[in-house]
Amino acid sequence: MTYAPFEIIGADRSSRWLVTCDHAANTVPDFVGGGDLGLATCDMERHIAYDIGAAGVSRALADALGCPAILSNFSRLVIDPNRGEDDPTLLMKLYDGTIIPANRYADADQLEMRLNRCYRPYHTAYAELAARRADTVIVSVHSFTPQLQGRPPRPWHVGVLYAADTRLARPLLARLHAEPDICIGENEPYGGHLPGDAIARHAIAWQRLNALIEIRNDLIATPDTQIRWAERLAPILQQALADTGRP
């Protein structure tokens, strides 16, 4: 079977929403180290390789919103689609205390090959989906580990990340804060956006409404919990969009 660096769900759905999942998979294509980055299986199943549970949430959220979704099909350790092409962390050599053997001596040719076969096709498809309507709203789904090595536990259940564009983030945060049983992080566990990242490239540059949602991965570790969180978030997102005055 021919390798595909992304998966599109519901391409013919008409909703203005677009769900994206930049770190959906821990796949290492055969053309990268013969399909092996030199890490143990247990490391490839950790948050360093992909956003655990985010793919399942993305699929269920796209179903709930009646919209398309695009999911990456390569590990963030192969190349990170949520970084600009000039970002020094585009190809990680060390992540959360773990050295990535296949990346340690990766040269410019190796980087260019991964860009051409994984990163750029993903972003081309992403751009086409985002452009299918003039009023596209992008919601990017990510997950985060409950605790990085040597760091304090992270208490948040859900984080909303934003930088300069707060048109959807602010009403979304207000709606989430109204939920009595969710601990909300504002620009937590990370701050804002990076120059050239996926939201900057496909939403902010085009003035598209957008939200980046981070969910703690222990809360979405099973298909059932992924569906439950998607079904809970969908009406909150719809309400937040209505609150923007741009429904």
Side-chain angles (χ1 to χ4, degrees):
M1 182 179 294
T2 303
Y3 169 73
F6 58 86
E7 175 188 3
I8 294 175
I9 297 165
D12 58 348
R13 293 173 179 171
S14 60
S15 168
R16 67 185 293 196
W17 290 96
L18 171 61
V19 174
T20 69
C21 191
D22 300 322
H23 301 141
N26 59 358
T27 305
V28 181
D30 287 344
F31 51 81
V32 177
D36 188 347
L37 293 174
L39 291 173
T41 299
C42 60
D43 282 322
M44 290 302 299
E45 292 174 351
R46 293 173 58 213
H47 72 98
I48 64 171
Y50 73 124
D51 282 357
I52 296 165
V57 173
S58 297
R59 292 186 178 96
L61 186 59
D63 288 345
L65 293 172
C67 72
I70 182 168
L71 294 79
S72 68
N73 186 31
F74 50 93
S75 172
R76 68 196 306 166
L77 299 179
V78 170
I79 193 165
D80 194 332
N82 196 33
R83 298 290 186 272
E85 289 198 19
D86 59 350
D87 193 301
T89 63
L90 183 65
L91 199 157
M92 295 289 285
K93 300 178 186 295
L94 175 70
Y95 195 172
D96 196 20
T98 298
I99 294 172
I100 318 305
N103 293 351
R104 190 170 184 178
Y105 302 110
D107 59 14
D109 289 342
Q110 179 68 210
L111 174 59
E112 188 68 13
M113 183 269 289
R114 299 186 197 187
L115 283 167
N116 286 332
R117 300 191 69 173
C118 297
Y119 180 102
R120 288 170 181 151
Y122 172 74
H123 280 289
T124 296
Y126 190 149
E128 290 172 355
L129 283 171
R132 78 198 192 286
R133 290 182 54 145
D135 60 351
T136 295
V137 182
I138 297 174
V139 56
S140 182
V141 178
H142 294 254
S143 72
F144 63 95
T145 186
Q147 186 173 13
L148 292 171
Q149 292 188 31
R151 303 287 185 87
R154 292 161 157 176
W156 312 284
H157 299 138
V158 176
V160 176
L161 275 55
Y162 61 87
D165 183 3
T166 63
R167 293 172 298 165
L168 183 57
R170 285 296 182 197
L172 176 58
L173 281 163
R175 289 284 180 176
L176 287 168
H177 279 303
E179 299 288 310
D181 57 340
I182 307 180
C183 180
I184 305 301
E186 184 170 338
N187 274 337
E188 298 287 359
Y190 316 105
H193 295 290
L194 297 170
D197 69 11
I199 287 292
R201 180 171 180 168
H202 298 289
I204 294 171
W206 297 88
Q207 299 185 334
R208 294 175 177 130
L209 292 174
N210 66 90
L212 192 154
I213 297 174
E214 292 268 2
I215 307 171
R216 207 175 69 203
N217 66 28
D218 60 318
L219 303 177
I220 51 172
T222 67
D224 286 347
T225 55
Q226 292 157 18
I227 291 169
R228 284 201 295 272
W229 271 97
E231 291 179 344
R232 183 170 189 177
L233 287 171
I236 294 173
L237 283 162
Q238 296 277 34
Q239 292 158 2
L241 178 59
D243 293 342
T244 69
R246 299 176 175 87

